[in-house]
Amino acid sequence: MRIAANSPDTFPMAGRRKFPIFATPLINPPDKLKEGLAVYRDTLPAGARGDTALAFPVHVTASRAQARQECEPGLLRFLREAAERLRPLGETDIKSFEAFRQVLARIESVKYEDLDREMGVFGDPNYCIERVQALRREYRMDEFICYFNQGGIMDHAMVKQTMTLFAKEVLPHCR
């Protein structure tokens, strides 16, 4: 079981209690996520080892251009839907919801290029191997979680194909 670490208060609370956490740069911008992970690690009791699992959207195919063509509509749909669900929280005038207002503003302005540059793994197997390895180093995560078919509108065969490519061509190089 993991604690979803998406607000500034969650990281230290989870660290103090030695809870494993789950987070994603889709919610927290990379700089804020890295700050939160540092707080989590700094608040762990002496000798305790943290456990971080981070989730990233992933699409493995023949090329970066093809990956964009196939996954961009679903990713943008996912963000629009997330914004609609967060909007009532962002409109609440409660100080503790400031983090949700910031997340909402970010989600409403993010573009595919931002997803690709900051938080996604989209492209041919060799690119994806390099990208996963770089993200693991950058975030010092214990587990890498893949979001396939973000937005839920890809054809089942395409989702199966990208998952198979990831399992056969990328995963063996990222253990």
Side-chain angles (χ1 to χ4, degrees):
M1 185 167 14
R2 295 186 175 278
I3 299 294
N6 293 317
S7 69
D9 296 334
T10 309
F11 290 99
M13 182 276 300
R16 284 190 303 273
R17 290 172 176 81
K18 300 186 283 187
F19 291 153
I21 61 170
F22 163 83
T24 178
L26 286 169
I27 303 295
N28 289 294
D31 59 331
K32 292 213 184 275
L33 178 55
K34 289 174 192 169
E35 288 173 20
L37 291 170
V39 167
Y40 170 74
R41 291 177 182 117
D42 289 346
T43 56
L44 287 165
R49 184 184 169 327
D51 185 352
T52 59
L54 301 184
F56 297 87
V58 175
H59 191 75
V60 186
T61 191
S63 69
R64 300 221 344 107
Q66 183 177 347
R68 180 176 186 165
Q69 180 183 1
E70 293 174 355
C71 71
E72 183 176 17
L75 287 163
L76 296 180
R77 177 181 186 268
F78 170 81
L79 292 170
R80 284 191 305 272
E81 292 293 325
E84 286 306 308
R85 282 158 181 70
L86 286 173
R87 192 171 319 287
L89 293 175
E91 294 169 358
T92 304
D93 191 25
I94 299 172
K95 185 178 178 182
S96 64
F97 285 104
E98 180 56 31
F100 285 106
R101 280 192 281 275
Q102 292 174 7
V103 167
L104 178 61
R106 178 170 183 267
I107 286 174
E108 289 178 330
S109 66
V110 76
K111 296 176 178 33
Y112 179 85
E113 293 80 9
D114 303 319
L115 292 165
D116 184 42
R117 181 182 62 256
E118 298 176 353
M119 62 198 87
V121 179
F122 313 124
D124 61 86
N126 287 331
Y127 173 83
C128 292
I129 291 166
E130 291 174 18
R131 182 75 171 132
V132 169
Q133 290 172 343
L135 289 168
R136 289 184 75 186
R137 283 189 306 272
E138 182 178 352
Y139 287 99
R140 297 178 24 220
M141 70 189 93
D142 299 294
E143 293 182 39
F144 183 93
I145 299 172
C146 301
Y147 281 142
F148 295 104
N149 195 16
Q150 198 84 43
I153 60 174
M154 273 187 205
D155 176 70
H156 177 71
M158 185 184 300
V159 175
K160 186 175 176 182
Q161 180 181 12
T162 191
M163 292 173 82
T164 300
L165 273 173
F166 183 86
K168 288 183 177 179
E169 303 293 329
V170 179
L171 187 59
H173 302 280
C174 298
R175 292 184 180 206

